[in-house]
Amino acid sequence: MNHSQSIETLRQALRRLPGVGPKTAQRMAFHLLERDREGAQVIADALNETLRKVIRCKRCNTFSEKELCDICTSPRRDPEVLCIVETPADLESVEQAGVYKGMYFVLMGHLSPLDGIGPDDLALDRLSDLCNREHISEVILATNLTAEGEATAEYVHQLLSKNQIKLTRIARGVPMGGELEYLDHGTLSQAFSERRVI
Amino acid sequence: MNHSQSIETLRQALRRLPGVGPKTAQRMAFHLLERDREGAQVIADALNETLRKVIRCKRCNTFSEKELCDICTSPRRDPEVLCIVETPADLESVEQAGVYKGMYFVLMGHLSPLDGIGPDDLALDRLSDLCNREHISEVILATNLTAEGEATAEYVHQLLSKNQIKLTRIARGVPMGGELEYLDHGTLSQAFSERRVI
């Protein structure tokens, strides 16, 4: 590297972004320096501000700038229904779908023994406490329908089964616009075995 | 966006990176906050340090932390040969190939009328000055073999043709490992019309 040590440092730093390899990191570094120095400053400032301001909501564990997030303090949400998701990004997807009006709990991950992520690494204690403390009538398990998400849902199911709460899982089946010809066998067999009377 | 205004700001900021759309920016922001807060700080610091330290080399126009870059001040480079490239990334590719031992000049872009980039936006005045001031025996035009790169090479060719300098262009043809079956027609016809006696 002939240019400068700080460009090399920046290139290494940008590789910490997900999905960014050495070539992409170089392209990003050079792009910012050649054409968007203002953008580089904007990114640096946004990172610092986010690190300074963003904490976890004390109740639902999602990202928030306050002790309790906007959803947990909203009077328009049903406090008796709790939707359990893996990440804040999942929470946002559910919000954008616009169909759910209850509360959330964010695990911040899923069980993954291969990656060394066990029950102690998720916020399961806080989830237990919350279900013991508040009056929850239904818990919707909305972890991903991947192997890890299913295992996590099963674990939470067992954890909460002693609480006499109705536990539900989001429906499995053919996605909107799905064509049977191109669906995997697993989805198709689920769609058949969980078929509904119309 | 329910989480926080600063996450939203960060997401918008990350979109200024090349090739990063809204979904990728969100994934990056959440990844840093969920799993790599230290990485976020590393990136912010690297951006700030690079912005503070990196300037342009006064002679060859590439990125440098000093007034003159390491190549321009090296006693081991041939000062009579000048290789003209579009960007510092191109310079680095040539360096990594390891075959060239002369000097460089970095235009910082290429002519592109559609994007509003004309001759005044490139460092052509400084290139002219350099060729008038120093004793250059050969200028190698190593801009990209794209439409814009070819137009830029042609413009530089005309600009410097009055200087009585030997002007050369990097060779066009079939790349290493290239299979004729999969080559585009343009490359193949160039490889034939510029064939060499062996």
Side-chain angles (χ1 to χ4, degrees), chain B residues 102-123:
Chain B
M103 297 293 189
Y104 290 94
F105 188 83
V106 179
L107 296 172
M108 287 289 172
H110 51 230
L111 296 178
S112 181
L114 287 175
D115 301 319
I117 304 172
D120 296 341
D121 300 305
L122 305 182

Side-chain angles (χ1 to χ4, degrees), chain A:
Chain A
M1 181 67 183
N2 286 290
H3 303 311
S4 90
Q5 186 53 47
S6 55
I7 296 182
E8 182 59 26
T9 305
L10 174 58
R11 191 151 63 161
Q12 292 298 331
L14 289 170
R15 291 190 59 184
R16 298 184 78 145
L17 292 169
V20 173
K23 274 280 176 191
T24 307
Q26 170 167 317
R27 194 160 60 92
M28 287 173 166
F30 282 150
H31 171 88
L32 292 174
L33 281 167
E34 280 168 36
R35 303 208 195 101
D36 197 10
R37 281 190 164 235
E38 188 201 327
Q41 192 64 62
V42 166
I43 296 170
D45 293 347
L47 284 166
N48 278 320
E49 181 168 315
T50 307
L51 286 173
R52 192 167 49 79
K53 283 192 181 170
V54 175
I55 53 176
R56 301 276 176 85
C57 171
K58 283 209 164 179
R59 187 183 165 284
C60 78
N61 202 34
T62 198
F63 296 133
S64 171
E65 293 184 15
K66 294 166 286 189
E67 277 212 345
L68 288 171
C69 74
D70 290 344
I71 293 178
C72 284
T73 52
S74 167
R76 287 192 302 278
R77 314 283 303 206
D78 183 347
E80 295 202 358
V81 186
L82 190 70
C83 174
I84 296 179
V85 292
E86 295 183 20
T87 65
D90 295 339
L91 184 157
E92 191 160 336
S93 289
V94 177
E95 281 300 287
Q96 281 167 4
V99 73
Y100 179 68
K101 291 298 168 205
M103 297 295 188
Y104 289 95
F105 188 83
V106 178
L107 296 172
M108 288 288 174
H110 51 229
L111 296 178
S112 180
L114 287 177
D115 301 319
I117 304 171
D120 295 342
D121 300 306
L122 306 181
L124 294 168
D125 291 348
R126 291 178 52 189
L127 174 60
S128 264
D129 290 350
L130 191 153
C131 291
N132 292 331
R133 195 176 63 235
E134 299 188 12
H135 180 69
I136 309 283
S137 60
E138 179 180 356
V139 166
I140 302 173
L141 297 168
T143 54
N144 289 331
L145 294 186
T146 55
E148 292 90 350
E150 294 279 25
T152 309
E154 179 55 29
Y155 193 94
V156 174
H157 176 224
Q158 287 179 13
L159 182 76
L160 300 181
S161 55
K162 65 180 187 300
N163 287 52
Q164 308 289 331
I165 300 172
K166 180 180 166 191
L167 286 160
T168 57
R169 182 86 172 106
I170 50 171
R172 297 176 288 192
V174 180
M176 290 272 284
E179 296 180 78
L180 269 55
E181 181 180 353
Y182 301 110
L183 275 180
D184 62 292
H185 300 317
T187 300
L188 207 50
S189 61
Q190 276 173 350
F192 272 84
S193 63
E194 299 182 15
R195 65 191 181 277
R196 298 172 43 174
V197 177
I198 52 168

Side-chain angles (χ1 to χ4, degrees), chain B residues 14-75:
Chain B
L14 289 170
R15 290 190 59 185
R16 297 184 80 147
L17 292 169
V20 174
K23 274 280 174 190
T24 306
Q26 171 169 315
R27 194 160 59 92
M28 287 174 167
F30 283 151
H31 170 88
L32 292 175
L33 282 167
E34 281 170 36
R35 304 210 193 99
D36 196 11
R37 283 191 162 232
E38 187 201 328
Q41 193 61 63
V42 166
I43 296 169
D45 293 346
L47 284 165
N48 278 320
E49 180 168 317
T50 307
L51 286 172
R52 191 165 50 79
K53 283 193 180 168
V54 175
I55 54 176
R56 302 276 177 84
C57 170
K58 281 208 163 178
R59 186 182 166 285
C60 78
N61 203 35
T62 198
F63 295 133
S64 171
E65 294 185 16
K66 293 166 284 190
E67 277 213 346
L68 289 170
C69 74
D70 289 344
I71 293 177
C72 285
T73 50
S74 168

Side-chain angles (χ1 to χ4, degrees), chain B residues 67-130:
Chain B
E67 277 213 346
L68 289 170
C69 74
D70 289 344
I71 293 177
C72 285
T73 50
S74 168
R76 286 191 302 276
R77 315 283 305 204
D78 182 348
E80 295 202 358
V81 187
L82 190 71
C83 174
I84 297 179
V85 291
E86 296 182 20
T87 65
D90 295 340
L91 184 158
E92 190 159 337
S93 289
V94 178
E95 280 299 288
Q96 281 166 3
V99 72
Y100 179 68
K101 292 298 168 206
M103 297 293 189
Y104 290 94
F105 188 83
V106 179
L107 296 172
M108 287 289 172
H110 51 230
L111 296 178
S112 181
L114 287 175
D115 301 319
I117 304 172
D120 296 341
D121 300 305
L122 305 182
L124 294 167
D125 291 349
R126 290 179 50 190
L127 173 61
S128 263
D129 290 349
L130 191 153

